Amino acid sequence: MIKKIVLGAMAVALVAFVMVPSASASCNPAKTATTFGNGTAYWLPATTVGTASVQSWQLGAPGTWNSAGGTVACPNSFLFPDGPGFSLAFDLGSCGSGCPAPLSTLVTLAQNRTASGTEFLLATIVETPADSSGNFQYASQGDHTMIPVPRPRVLSSARVGSAVNLSVTVDSIAAGLFGPEAASAVTGFNILTASSATDPGTDASAYSLRSTIASAGGAAATGPISLDCTNPTDQWIVTQIQFENGTVLANSVSGATRVHCDPALANPKHNPKIKPVPRPTLSN
C-alpha cells in the first residue's frame, strides 16, 4: 500500500513537470527509466538514506543525451527515498539535452550524500521499447547497493618550501558498477582541493581541480598531487569520479582528507568523522 501511495505521488509530480515546456529535451514521445513497473527493485544506501542526487546520459555518447544539459536540467527528485532505499522514476522527455538513441544504453549515476561523505552506484540498462512499464527498466536487475566514494589516501608526503607534495591512492569502485558495460563509463578520478578552516562538504562545486588520475573501469589508482600551502589554512582533498573521458563529472565528492599547511604541524590529519588512515610525515 505504501509503495502504491509513493508511486502515485511520484506520477503526479512527473505529470506536473512534463507540463513545463522544455526547448532542450527532444524525446517525443518521452522515454522513461524506472526501478519499478515490471517488477520492483531498490537502490540501497551503504549506511543510511541521505540527500539524493542523480545524473544520467547515453553510454559512450553523453552529447546525444545528458540530464545535466539543455535549458532545464533534470531534477534530483527523479531519485527519491522509498522503502529501504531509493526508487527511480525518470522522465527523459521533460528535461536535459537530447534523447537516447533507439536501443541505446542508458547510464544512471545515483548518489547519496550523508554526513560522512557520498555513497553512489552507477547502473546501465539497454532500452526495451516494447516494455510498457518503461523504456529503460532497471527493475529487471534487482536491488543494487551503493558504496562510498573512496577518499584519497595519502601514501607519502614531503614539504618543499610552501608546497606539500603528496602521493595519493584511490581504492577501486568496481563494486558500485552494475549493468552492461558499466565499467566502460568510468575513466578516472579527479582529485579536488579546497582551502578552508572547516570541512567544505560533498558538493563538487566547493572545490577546485588539482590533478587527474587515469583509471579505466574505476580500478584502484595512485598519482601525485601538489598542494600550495602559501596560505597556512588547512587543505582538504576529495575524490571526484570522472566518466566518459571527463565529459561527465560526478557532482558529489567523497568525504575529505584534511592536510595541515601550517609548517609547525608535522603531519596531515584526517577528518575525525572518517576512519583514519596512516599519517604521512612532512619534511620542513
Side-chain angles (χ1 to χ4, degrees), residues 14 31 44 62 123 141-142 186 205 238 272:
L14 284 176
K31 296 186 178 184
L44 306 170
Q141 297 179 352
V186 184
S205 65
V238 294

Side-chain angles (χ1 to χ4, degrees), residues 56-130:
S56 184
W57 64 93
Q58 181 178 321
L59 181 64
T64 301
W65 153 252
N66 194 317
S67 67
T71 304
V72 180
C74 294
N76 290 325
S77 58
F78 285 163
L79 180 69
F80 57 98
D82 181 27
F86 296 94
S87 290
L88 180 74
F90 220 138
D91 170 31
L92 284 68
S94 62
C95 57
S97 177
C99 186
L103 304 180
S104 63
T105 299
L106 183 72
V107 182
T108 301
L109 172 65
Q111 298 170 106
N112 176 38
R113 295 181 182 178
T114 70
S116 60
T118 297
E119 303 169 358
F120 90 101
L121 65 81
L122 181 139
T124 60
I125 195 77
V126 178
E127 184 180 17
T128 52

